[in-house]
Amino acid sequence: MPKTIACLHAHHSNIEVIEKMLSSHQAELIHFVEPGFDRQKADAHFKPEFIQSKLANTMSWISSCHVDAILVTCTFFTAHLPLNDLSVPIIKIDELLFTQLKAEKNPVILAFTNPQTVDGTMQALAKFDSSIEAKSHLIPNTFHLIMNGKKQEYLDVVSQGLAELTKAYPDHRVYAAQLSMVDAAVVAREVDGVEVGHYGELVGERSSKRQQP
C-alpha cells in the first residue's frame, strides 16, 4: 500500500519541485505551506522560543493528519525544529545533503539565497559530522524574489551566481543548499556547463528509503 508523506514547505513554489523529484515513487504527497516565518522575521517577537513553539504546533498538527512520515523541505525549519516525540518519522531535507557531503573528496561550498538559513544549516552540518570541510556563501538580495513570486527573475540571478561561484572556486564542489535553488542549479549546469550539486539528485531515492516507519 502506498505511503503518505506530508511535506512541510516555507513557500508554495517548492511543491512543484518535490512533486517532480518523487514522481517515480508510489507515495501520496500531502503539502503544507507556512510562509509566515519569512513575513514575520523582522518582528520583535520573532525569537528562537517563538519559532520553536510555532513549529512544534505545526508538526503536531501535520502528524495527526494520517500520514506515514513528514518531509521538512525548508532548511530554516529543520534548523529550528524542537525535539518532539511525534508518532511519525521526520525526514530533514538537509540531512540528505549532509550524507552526500560525507562522500565528497574536495572541500565544499554551500550556496544559499536565504540569509536566515545559513547559520542554522552550517551549525547542523557541524553537529552531523564536524569532519566535513565546508564553508557557506550567500548569493545576496535574491530570496525576496522567490518569496514574492518572481520565479524567473530568481532563476536567472541565482543560476548566474552559482555559475560564478563554481568558476571562482575550481577546487571546491559547490552545492545549492536550498530546495528553491534546484532549478537554478540545473540551469547553471545546462547553460554555463558548471557542476553544481542540488537536492534534485538526492531526494528521490533516499527519501523513499528513509520514510519507512
Side-chain angles (χ1 to χ4, degrees):
M1 183 176 179
K3 298 295 184 179
T4 299
I5 303 176
C7 304
L8 176 59
H9 312 284
H11 193 262
H12 61 81
S13 62
N14 283 341
I15 294 176
E16 181 181 1
V17 179
I18 286 295
E19 288 280 356
K20 288 180 180 178
M21 289 179 185
L22 299 180
S23 62
S24 63
H25 297 270
Q26 294 183 346
E28 177 188 13
L29 303 182
I30 308 296
H31 299 282
F32 297 79
V33 183
E34 179 51 85
F37 286 87
D38 187 71
R39 296 183 64 85
Q40 295 188 34
K41 63 187 178 185
D43 295 350
H45 71 275
F46 197 73
K47 297 178 180 179
E49 56 269 23
F50 168 81
I51 299 169
Q52 290 197 355
S53 176
K54 173 61 178 175
L55 283 174
N57 291 334
T58 300
M59 295 293 285
S60 178
W61 164 248
I62 294 174
S63 69
S64 72
C65 293
H66 309 294
V67 300
D68 297 299
I70 302 175
L71 171 63
V72 183
T73 69
C74 172
T75 49
F76 176 78
F77 292 169
T78 62
H80 292 85
L81 281 180
L83 296 175
N84 279 5
D85 184 18
L86 298 178
S87 58
V88 298
I90 308 302
I91 306 167
K92 297 181 180 181
I93 196 168
D94 49 5
E95 290 187 354
L96 302 178
L97 176 61
F98 297 164
T99 300
Q100 175 66 23
L101 298 184
K102 291 182 67 173
E104 286 291 342
K105 297 179 180 179
N106 294 328
V108 170
I109 294 178
L110 297 183
F112 298 86
T113 60
N114 183 359
Q116 285 194 300
T117 299
V118 180
D119 288 345
T121 300
M122 298 306 292
Q123 291 170 9
L125 175 59
K127 291 180 180 179
F128 182 84
D129 190 333
S130 60
S131 67
I132 297 175
E133 186 179 352
K135 59 184 178 182
S136 63
H137 177 87
L138 178 69
I139 302 176
N141 304 317
T142 52
F143 193 62
H144 69 282
L145 296 174
I146 192 67
M147 295 303 290
N148 291 327
K150 299 179 180 180
K151 184 176 180 179
Q152 187 59 51
E153 215 174 317
Y154 180 79
L155 180 65
D156 293 340
V157 176
V158 176
S159 61
Q160 181 180 356
L162 290 172
E164 292 174 352
L165 184 61
T166 302
K167 293 174 183 177
Y169 294 91
D171 296 330
H172 288 66
R173 171 72 160 151
V174 175
Y175 278 86
Q178 296 166 216
L179 190 63
S180 66
M181 302 169 71
V182 167
D183 288 344
V186 172
V187 171
R189 179 176 298 182
E190 294 178 349
V191 175
D192 295 285
V194 297
E195 291 293 324
V196 179
H198 58 82
Y199 281 111
E201 303 170 325
L202 307 173
V203 171
E205 178 182 355
R206 290 181 183 172
S207 63
S208 176
K209 292 178 180 178
R210 294 184 61 185
Q211 60 89 24
Q212 300 291 339

